[in-house]
Amino acid sequence: MNKVIRSTAIGVSALALAFFSFPATAQAAQSAPAGALAKLSHATAASQLSNAGIGISSSGGCSNRNNPTCTSLDQVNSATIQGAITLKNASGCGLTVTGGTETGHASGTYSHWNGYKLDFSMTSCLTNYVTRNFTSIGGSKWQSGAGNIYYNEVNHWDVTFYNCGGC
């Protein structure tokens, strides 16, 4: 009986070793994109946006997440930052983030605080891109093909990134 248990344990261990050391499995794990809920620091997110040519503006000249006059990216979802980069590349528009994860926005699951939303400066380029390429869903809102929601709040675009927008 002890021999059967030992053989089974060795067989299971060998199977696990073969599975986890198979080259395709290891390669897939290394190249898999970060999940939508991977949280970024302000510095990391700001660097990624800057590298993509996207600006950040803060009315308070700060990035403190707990100050509503700051523009913070602390704890933003990686997919949200990738979504902003996808938007810039697809639209060809200059983008400036004016709102991020700082306190002072509406609450909810898909909120600024939880890392799903960014506000962008209102520009004619961005407005034309959104209204010409996305589907109007009423109430000054448009939905992209990827499912992200763009809300024209008169003085800025409030965008909910459920995903990276096809990155």
Side-chain angles (χ1 to χ4, degrees):
M1 176 87 140
N2 193 14
K3 194 184 224 182
V4 172
I5 293 171
R6 202 174 347 187
S7 293
T8 303
I10 291 169
V12 170
S13 296
L15 179 61
L17 180 61
F19 177 77
F20 289 113
S21 62
F22 185 74
T25 304
Q27 186 177 10
Q30 290 172 355
S31 62
L37 297 181
K39 299 294 186 177
L40 303 178
S41 69
H42 177 84
T44 298
S47 175
Q48 289 179 9
L49 291 176
S50 177
N51 289 341
I54 299 172
I56 302 170
S57 178
S58 168
S59 60
C62 50
S63 62
N64 182 337
R65 180 169 160 84
N66 296 303
N67 181 337
T69 66
C70 297
T71 299
S72 176
L73 299 172
D74 191 36
Q75 298 299 302
V76 70
N77 296 331
S78 60
T80 300
I81 297 302
Q82 286 302 309
I85 294 168
T86 299
L87 174 61
K88 167 120 176 40
N89 292 338
S91 68
C93 297
L95 297 179
T96 302
V97 174
T98 60
T101 61
E102 67 278 351
T103 191
H105 297 281
S107 61
T109 301
Y110 300 104
S111 64
H112 282 273
W113 183 262
N114 288 336
Y116 288 92
K117 288 185 163 211
L118 294 176
D119 291 340
F120 295 96
S121 294
M122 184 67 67
T123 66
S124 58
C125 181
L126 183 56
T127 298
N128 290 337
Y129 178 78
V130 169
T131 58
R132 291 177 182 165
N133 292 283
F134 300 151
T135 303
S136 174
I137 57 173
S140 300
K141 294 181 182 178
W142 284 260
Q143 186 170 27
S144 73
N148 297 325
I149 304 294
Y150 292 73
Y151 182 24
N152 181 336
E153 292 192 353
V154 182
N155 64 346
H156 68 275
W157 281 98
D158 176 279
V159 183
T160 306
F161 291 99
Y162 297 107
N163 58 64
C164 66
C167 59

